Amino acid sequence: MNKEQRFRRQVLVLGLLILVTTGLYLTYNTYGNWSFALAIRGKKLAAFFLVALACSGPTVAFQTLTHNRFLTPGILGMDQLYVTVQTVLFFIAGGSVGLSLPVVPQFLVNVLLMAVVSVLFIGFFLGKTGNDFFRLLMVGMVAASLFSSISTYLQVLMDPNEYDLLQGKLYASFGNVSVELLVISGVLLAVICGVLWYFGPELDVLLLGFDHGVNLGISVRPLQRLLLFLIAAATGIATALVGPTIFLGFVVATVSYQIFPVHRYRQLFLGSTLLGILFLIGGQFIVEQFLGLKATISTIIQFAGGLFFIGKLVAGSSPVNRRRKFGN
């Protein structure tokens, strides 16, 4: 069995597991209230699909651009930017106003703000750091710390009641997503992931390095900026939709590298997305049916993802060939 045949078989198995897990999640312990259970669980299921799509493929693309499998788009500090935006809104307007604002305009503003800030951030510092992308990422970590400090300072000054309302907005939640946001997110992610899929062959070349991309006729710098904008937008959509889920993309991307015998971006995109969907649905099923909702899937993702990340650091260095220069 060659690698292509093995990959197709693995995708087929994942697809069957997703169907079985979805069926169990939608029908288990409904107690005859089919319409009520399906309405609630169906909305969560759609959120699982979209978040997996927004976190998996873009994380693989980001790690391809950076030549490092330890990094995620969260290194640019967008989750902390989201927290800062929400904190400033609640601090200035108040918790009741912040919760009463129309969800669609607020969602679009959050996504646009995170994407634009990321692009401006990248465009400004990429030249300032001598095109050293790892130094740029270090600046991103400093920016995340800055956003976190601003949020913490404002939260200390807030009224305790408004702070409680704010916390409900800052923790990832798959159960409070509106149908309108699911539709808008689906359309935006379809466009973003479609473009990433289209540039799959170029990403395969960029995995070899900047010089190889130039020699093969790719306009590397414009392509890098476009891809980084799309990755930032996808991460912003996932964050604005359900809250910060920084480790989900890292976990599914890392597992994909281990189990799939392929290196092409499109195949890893598909495999990691299917894994993300399976992890989210299976995790939520366990949380609801066996843990009695005493924990949340977002908490488990963050805790397990953090342990997984530490384990990867302890186990050894990234298998991807590291290159210090992002572009010339």
Side-chain angles (χ1 to χ4, degrees):
M1 183 187 302
N2 58 36
K3 292 183 178 181
E4 294 292 333
Q5 292 174 331
R6 181 182 171 188
F7 175 75
R8 293 193 190 100
R9 178 170 295 184
Q10 289 174 323
V11 168
L12 179 60
V13 171
L14 279 176
L16 291 176
L17 288 175
I18 289 173
L19 289 176
V20 172
T21 308
T22 300
L24 285 173
Y25 178 71
L26 292 177
T27 59
Y28 189 77
N29 278 347
T30 56
Y31 305 108
N33 298 319
W34 292 96
S35 59
F36 179 74
L38 291 177
I40 295 178
R41 296 180 183 180
K43 186 170 67 172
K44 290 183 181 179
L45 188 66
F48 295 151
F49 275 80
L50 292 178
V51 171
L53 185 64
C55 293
S56 304
T59 298
V60 175
F62 186 78
Q63 292 177 345
T64 300
L65 290 176
T66 59
H67 294 273
N68 193 307
R69 291 181 178 176
F70 288 115
L71 300 179
T72 69
I75 198 70
L76 296 177
M78 282 194 296
D79 56 330
Q80 291 299 331
L81 176 60
Y82 171 79
V83 172
T84 302
V85 171
Q86 295 299 318
T87 301
V88 171
L89 174 63
F90 274 65
F91 183 81
I92 295 176
S96 58
V97 175
L99 292 176
S100 63
L101 290 175
V103 292
V104 174
Q106 190 177 168
F107 171 79
L108 293 175
V109 168
N110 279 325
V111 173
L112 182 62
L113 181 62
M114 284 186 278
V116 170
V117 168
S118 297
V119 170
L120 294 177
F121 177 83
I122 292 167
F124 178 76
F125 284 105
L126 191 60
K128 297 292 184 180
T129 57
N131 297 321
D132 189 339
F133 194 63
F134 288 101
R135 195 177 301 174
L136 170 65
L137 295 177
M138 293 299 295
V139 176
M141 295 175 65
V142 173
S145 298
L146 174 63
F147 294 144
S148 178
S149 298
I150 295 173
S151 302
T152 302
Y153 176 73
L154 294 179
Q155 289 170 12
V156 170
L157 299 179
M158 291 176 66
D159 181 87
N161 295 322
E162 293 184 354
Y163 176 77
D164 288 338
L165 295 176
L166 174 64
Q167 293 307 300
K169 293 278 292 182
L170 298 184
Y171 287 100
S173 174
F174 291 89
N176 300 322
V177 183
S178 70
V179 176
E180 291 177 312
L181 294 187
L182 290 174
V183 173
I184 294 174
S185 299
V187 173
L188 293 176
L189 286 174
V191 175
I192 292 171
C193 293
V195 177
L196 289 175
W197 183 275
Y198 176 79
F199 284 109
E202 284 78 4
L203 280 165
D204 294 338
V205 174
L206 291 181
L207 184 63
L208 301 175
F210 175 83
D211 294 334
H212 289 284
V214 173
N215 292 335
L216 293 174
I218 297 177
S219 300
V220 177
R221 285 296 296 276
L223 179 61
Q224 288 171 336
R225 293 180 185 275
L226 172 62
L227 294 179
L228 285 171
F229 174 76
L230 295 175
I231 293 167
T235 306
I237 289 172
T239 304
L241 185 64
V242 300
T245 54
I246 185 173
F247 283 114
L248 176 63
F250 171 77
V251 171
V252 296
T254 303
V255 174
S256 298
Y257 298 139
Q258 300 299 321
I259 68 174
F260 296 121
V262 293
H263 300 284
R264 290 198 290 272
Y265 172 75
R266 289 179 177 176
Q267 293 173 318
L268 290 172
F269 185 116
L270 176 60
S272 62
T273 301
L274 292 176
L275 278 176
I277 294 171
L278 182 62
F279 287 171
L280 287 175
I281 299 176
Q284 185 67 25
F285 179 76
I286 293 173
V287 165
E288 291 185 6
Q289 304 302 331
F290 297 99
L291 299 181
L293 293 174
K294 294 180 180 179
T296 62
I297 184 62
S298 59
T299 303
I300 294 175
I301 289 172
Q302 297 296 80
F303 178 73
L307 291 179
F308 191 70
F309 180 76
I310 294 173
K312 284 288 292 180
L313 288 176
V314 173
S317 60
S318 171
V320 176
N321 180 29
R322 298 182 181 182
R323 298 176 185 273
R324 292 195 54 81
K325 295 297 181 181
F326 181 66
N328 293 319

